[in-house]
Amino acid sequence: MIQWTIAASPAFLSWNEVHRGMQVAEHRIHQVFRVSVILKGLHALIEIAGGLVFYFVSAPAILGWVNLLTREELTEDPRDFIATHLLNATQNLNGATESFYAFYLISHGLIKVVLVAGLLREKLIAYPLSLIALGAFIVYQLYRYSYTHAFGLILLTAFDLIVIFLVWHEWRLLRKHIPVG
């Protein structure tokens, strides 16, 4: 019993056991990286779809849809957080804000789709460009948060920070395995 405890202690692990453990950890980090990048891609597609809605659907029509979707919820609870914020946001829509949202969502989504495609294909240039783009998005999200205090921006920023770490980690590993010269 005593010998088993000593042999199983971390100080006495063989190099193969340590290396195997490191490979498992790296594989899991890579899996998390891929899932987070795919989620970023799905979010980008939703942004593009939302931008197209703002581009092709009039502000009064959007307000009508939101009224229809929130009416029952606001009847039950007039202070419902999501319904009241959604309704307030759509009531302030006009041609200029609608155009801005359409442009912002479509361009933001397209940039992310291109970066996600590059990351999933392990294109080296996609890694530093993703770090720069996500960093810029974070700066803008924090700027917007200073005005809106929308908790969703904080959640999005936290997710972006995790993705930045994962992209940086994957980029570092990928560069290690590329032959020099």
Side-chain angles (χ1 to χ4, degrees):
M1 179 79 171
I2 293 175
Q3 287 193 0
W4 179 83
T5 306
I6 292 172
S9 72
F12 295 102
L13 291 176
S14 71
W15 171 248
N16 287 337
E17 291 170 320
V18 170
H19 184 66
R20 199 172 320 118
M22 289 170 48
Q23 286 177 329
V24 168
E26 286 299 332
H27 180 70
R28 292 209 178 164
I29 291 172
H30 181 72
Q31 288 175 324
V32 171
F33 165 77
R34 288 192 61 84
V35 168
S36 68
V37 169
I38 289 168
L39 288 174
K40 271 290 176 202
L42 292 173
H43 184 251
L45 293 175
I46 291 168
E47 285 180 327
I48 292 168
L52 292 172
V53 166
F54 280 118
Y55 186 75
F56 289 113
V57 180
S58 70
I62 293 172
L63 181 58
W65 288 348
V66 171
N67 275 328
L68 184 67
L69 291 172
T70 60
R71 183 177 305 141
E72 189 175 318
E73 188 60 40
L74 289 172
T75 301
E76 291 176 18
D77 179 10
R79 296 182 303 157
D80 182 273
F81 182 80
I82 294 173
T84 56
H85 281 79
L86 192 57
L87 194 56
N88 286 337
T90 55
Q91 286 174 342
N92 294 326
L93 279 180
N94 59 42
T97 56
E98 201 173 16
S99 294
F100 169 76
Y101 287 137
F103 171 76
Y104 178 77
L105 289 172
I106 292 170
S107 62
H108 193 252
L110 288 174
I111 289 168
K112 287 198 296 189
V113 164
V114 169
L115 293 173
V116 163
L119 290 172
L120 291 176
R121 291 187 175 127
E122 296 183 345
K123 301 292 183 188
L124 270 183
I125 191 69
Y127 293 84
L129 290 177
S130 294
L131 295 174
I132 292 167
L134 287 170
F137 293 155
I138 286 172
V139 168
Y140 183 73
Q141 288 159 194
L142 293 175
Y143 165 76
R144 290 294 301 162
Y145 178 79
S146 71
Y147 287 100
T148 65
H149 302 291
F151 185 69
L153 288 171
I154 295 298
L155 291 177
L156 186 58
T157 299
F159 182 64
D160 283 348
L161 287 170
I162 292 168
V163 174
I164 281 176
F165 169 76
L166 292 168
V167 167
W168 172 80
H169 182 79
E170 286 290 315
W171 186 33
R172 188 175 54 84
L173 288 176
L174 196 59
R175 288 187 311 182
K176 273 186 187 177
H177 294 87
I178 294 177
V180 178

